[in-house]
Amino acid sequence: MSDLIDELDARILDLIQADASLSVADLAERVGLSPSPCWRRIKRLEDLGVITKRVTVLDAEKLGLGFEVYVSVKLSLPSRTNLEAFEGRLEHWPEVVSCQTVTGHEDYMLRVMTRDMHAYDDFLRDKLLASDLVSGVESRIIMRSVRQTTAVPISLVVENHTTAPLPKVVGK
């Protein structure tokens, strides 16, 4: 078990990841606590930075943003100044929904969402390739999303330190 969380914390985190709208009373009931101790655990996890925020997951396709691309980006010169400059530009590009620095030939991996191929082409030409910092781009269009989650696999934290898996918490 992680030094930060115990089995009850893990169960709370699993439930919150599945449905952040659950009330403290509902969470407490599902993990076998009263509301006050459950709230204190949640507050502690927030204070520790384990819980960083709570969000609502939207259906991008229903909103007309179903065109998704993974983009490998190579900078012309990957200096500290250029890395910081490129990362600063990303803040103004709403199409970029995630960005990671990566090892290998490329410097970044972006996940880009747009309305369609034409909107992606506009983004590519007018923003990404218009940057003098970028020397190469490789796009991979997502044909179909097979599995996608925002959940952190809490069970991996627990599995490494206990002999038995956590009991499944059944919803109402």
Side-chain angles (χ1 to χ4, degrees):
M1 182 69 58
S2 166
D3 292 338
L4 294 178
I5 67 169
D6 63 17
E7 288 186 30
L8 275 175
D9 292 334
R11 291 168 61 186
I12 291 168
L13 291 171
D14 271 338
L15 288 166
I16 290 172
Q17 286 189 115
D19 185 356
S21 69
L22 289 171
S23 69
V24 172
D26 286 338
L27 285 169
E29 182 180 325
R30 292 183 187 193
V31 299
L33 290 174
S34 62
S36 291
C38 185
W39 178 86
R40 283 193 295 273
R41 283 176 176 269
I42 293 167
K43 179 71 173 121
R44 180 182 151 274
L45 292 166
E46 289 173 340
D47 292 346
L48 288 171
V50 173
I51 298 173
T52 58
K53 67 172 121 172
R54 299 180 202 188
V55 299
T56 300
V57 178
L58 305 178
D59 186 323
E61 190 137 345
K62 287 183 180 176
L63 293 169
L65 296 171
F67 193 79
E68 191 172 345
V69 183
Y70 286 107
V71 184
S72 301
V73 177
K74 176 76 177 151
L75 297 186
S76 50
L77 178 64
S79 66
R80 180 190 254 318
T81 301
N82 287 348
L83 292 167
E84 290 172 357
F86 180 77
E87 291 168 15
R89 290 180 187 180
L90 292 175
E91 297 300 316
H92 305 289
W93 297 345
E95 300 89 346
V96 178
V97 295
S98 72
C99 172
Q100 289 78 30
T101 57
V102 294
T103 61
H105 181 69
E106 290 83 15
D107 298 303
Y108 292 97
M109 181 64 69
L110 310 180
R111 182 172 155 234
V112 176
M113 296 177 77
T114 64
R115 292 182 314 279
D116 54 29
M117 174 76 80
H118 300 292
Y120 175 68
D121 185 55
D122 290 343
F123 165 77
L124 191 63
R125 291 171 185 263
D126 299 340
K127 294 179 180 176
L128 198 55
L129 293 175
S131 169
D132 57 345
L133 299 171
V134 174
S135 68
V137 170
E138 187 172 322
S139 302
R140 294 197 177 0
I141 298 169
I142 304 303
M143 302 298 291
R144 179 172 53 100
S145 185
V146 176
R147 182 172 191 272
Q148 186 167 317
T149 182
T150 59
V152 172
I154 297 297
S155 64
L156 298 180
V157 175
V158 176
E159 286 174 5
N160 291 334
H161 299 355
T162 63
T163 55
L166 283 178
K168 293 289 181 193
V169 178
V170 180
K172 289 182 179 177

